[in-house]
Amino acid sequence: MQRAYSDMREANYIGADKYFHARGNYDAAQHGPGGVAAAKLISDAKEDSQRVTDRFKHGDSGHGVEDSRADQRANEWGRSGKDPNHFRPAGLPDKY
């Protein structure tokens, strides 16, 4: 998951967020049931903390809720072993 996060920060590519979510979870899932469990724990904690900070920034507007759900769908996709390239945006360099 750390490599996917580092690559996401380095790529700084608009529209690639879901791809990197799926890829990080996919990579973790390749390490077996422990990897799947760790990826779920980390992904859930990240999304939960983001919802809290969004609430402080934007109040009870629902800002970010749909994006968080979409992130979680991408996380689940990757954890289930499905190809993260499903979320790969056109033009993202092959390096990633």
Side-chain angles (χ1 to χ4, degrees), residues 3-89:
R3 187 173 357 148
Y5 179 75
S6 295
D7 285 350
M8 179 180 71
R9 302 286 294 178
E10 178 183 303
N12 194 29
Y13 196 88
I14 294 173
D17 181 52
K18 305 308 178 260
Y19 165 72
F20 287 110
H21 275 270
R23 199 189 94 191
N25 278 267
Y26 177 86
D27 291 347
Q30 300 310 297
H31 295 280
V36 170
K40 179 163 178 33
L41 182 74
I42 292 166
S43 296
D44 289 349
K46 186 257 182 197
E47 293 304 323
D48 289 347
S49 68
Q50 188 170 349
R51 276 188 240 134
V52 169
T53 57
D54 283 351
R55 183 164 284 218
F56 281 114
K57 289 180 187 175
H58 306 286
D60 197 19
S61 67
H63 180 273
V65 171
E66 186 50 43
D67 188 56
S68 181
R69 286 184 186 135
D71 286 350
Q72 287 289 48
R73 285 190 294 273
N75 292 336
E76 291 167 13
W77 180 277
R79 274 195 310 270
S80 72
K82 295 178 183 173
D83 186 357
N85 286 309
H86 172 78
F87 294 96
R88 185 183 190 84

